[in-house]
Amino acid sequence: MAFDPLAMLTAFGLIFLAELPDKTMFASLAMGTRMRPLYVWFGTSTAFVVHVALAVGAGSLLSLLPGTVVKLVSAALFAFGAFVLLRGGDDDEDDEGGNTVTGFWPVYTTAFMAVFISEWGDLTQITTANLAATKAWLPVSIGAAAALMSVSALALLVGRFIAKRVPLKTVQRIGAGCMAGLAVWTLVEVFTG
């Protein structure tokens, strides 16, 4: 099995753009203002790795189906992802109480559970499963995990800057365009391959 860097870059780009305007980015930002950012990042990153593993496992099961069926399902999921990105994004940052959590394990556990629970059935998890069904699982796993962990780090480091200066609608539109393009590309593969 050869390592496919294009699959890794595709997974990274799609997941990064899909996660950037997501509620978990804002959750990371909010937790980072009340807790030690590095501890938050360890917790969120662990939760993301678990979700990537689950998504890749689901995608690997999908790959056992006939190629045409997988590509049609993939095209539909990419189209659905584009739709979700275009109509979504109204999630506001939750303002929780001003309690500060200290200590590695309490912060880690809080961050892990917040992301672990909120990512079930999320667009990025569906997209990762979709990519794993049509591409090599290892580069998809690396790209998806790196993207999710990068968004969390970005939220913790420069989240306030992004929220004030880059409209999230712009990021959503770019991500939706990429998803729609992949849906069309996948359909073209079905009917020309």
Side-chain angles (χ1 to χ4, degrees):
M1 170 174 81
F3 188 82
D4 183 3
L6 183 58
M8 184 179 71
L9 291 173
T10 301
F12 182 89
L14 282 174
I15 301 301
F16 186 88
L17 288 173
E19 188 65 20
L20 199 55
D22 194 66
K23 63 189 170 291
T24 51
M25 179 189 141
F26 293 108
S28 294
L29 175 61
M31 287 185 285
T33 62
R34 294 182 185 95
M35 304 173 199
R36 257 186 106 168
L38 185 60
Y39 296 174
V40 171
W41 185 77
F42 283 134
T44 60
S45 294
T46 305
F48 284 136
V49 167
V50 170
H51 274 288
V52 166
L54 293 170
V56 166
S60 297
L61 291 176
L62 286 175
S63 69
L64 299 175
L65 296 172
T68 302
V69 172
V70 171
K71 287 183 180 180
L72 287 172
V73 170
S74 293
L77 288 173
F78 279 132
F80 177 72
F83 172 76
V84 168
L85 280 173
L86 283 175
R87 76 159 183 85
D90 296 332
D91 293 317
D92 293 326
E93 175 183 342
D94 290 337
D95 261 346
E96 299 164 1
N99 295 343
T100 301
V101 179
T102 58
F104 177 79
W105 288 112
V107 170
Y108 174 90
T109 304
T110 300
F112 176 88
M113 291 307 293
V115 170
F116 184 76
I117 291 168
S118 69
E119 284 294 301
W120 281 103
D122 190 68
L123 176 62
T124 55
Q125 191 178 41
I126 293 167
T127 302
T128 302
N130 189 25
L131 288 169
T134 58
K135 307 210 178 300
W137 69 269
L138 183 59
V140 168
S141 299
I142 293 170
L148 292 166
M149 291 164 37
S150 295
V151 169
S152 181
L154 185 62
L156 291 165
L157 295 174
V158 294
R160 287 186 200 115
F161 176 82
I162 288 173
K164 289 179 183 175
R165 293 181 174 76
V166 178
L168 291 179
K169 279 286 186 199
T170 301
V171 175
Q172 287 176 312
R173 288 182 182 132
I174 292 169
C178 291
M179 292 275 192
L182 283 167
V184 170
W185 185 349
T186 305
L187 283 174
V188 167
E189 286 181 343
V190 168
F191 295 111
T192 60

